[in-house]
Amino acid sequence: MDRKVSELLNDQINKEFYSAYLYLDMANFYSSKGLDGFANWYEIQAKEEQDHAMLIYKYLHNNDQDVTLGAIAKPDKEFKSLMDPLTIAHAHEQYVTSLIDA
């Protein structure tokens, strides 16, 4: 495997785990507002992002590549309205997809 591809995939693992943290933060926000359905939906999204990270992790290992796990940043988004998580999640999904496309 090309070294650059391996590095990008390692970085993507971190991005996927960050996405999971971000979605858990959104679930936490909705839970605090008593919107358990929205909270549950974001918990499911967080699990999906964890699954993405693990698929890449296993792919690297299956191809005899080193996996380097970096620190996962704390989500830095502040939610002021009930729509904030929805619009932020949409923008974040577009960003993460652009990384994969690149």
Side-chain angles (χ1 to χ4, degrees), residues 4 37 42 52 55 62 76 81 94 98:
K4 181 66 175 170
Y42 276 106
H52 293 163
L55 285 170
N62 289 342
D76 62 350
S81 77
Q94 289 177 316
S98 76

Side-chain angles (χ1 to χ4, degrees), residues 66-77:
D66 291 331
V67 173
T68 305
L69 300 175
I72 302 168
K74 179 181 187 270
D76 62 350
K77 306 298 183 201

Side-chain angles (χ1 to χ4, degrees), residues 41-54:
W41 192 83
Y42 276 106
E43 289 170 3
I44 292 167
Q45 299 314 303
K47 176 68 172 111
E48 182 179 303
E49 299 303 331
Q50 292 173 345
D51 291 346
H52 293 163
M54 292 307 298

Side-chain angles (χ1 to χ4, degrees), residues 4-5 8-9 11-12 94-102:
K4 181 66 175 170
V5 171
L8 289 168
L9 288 172
D11 188 49
Q12 191 65 32
Q94 289 177 316
Y95 166 69
V96 172
T97 299
S98 76
L99 294 173
I100 292 169
D101 289 343

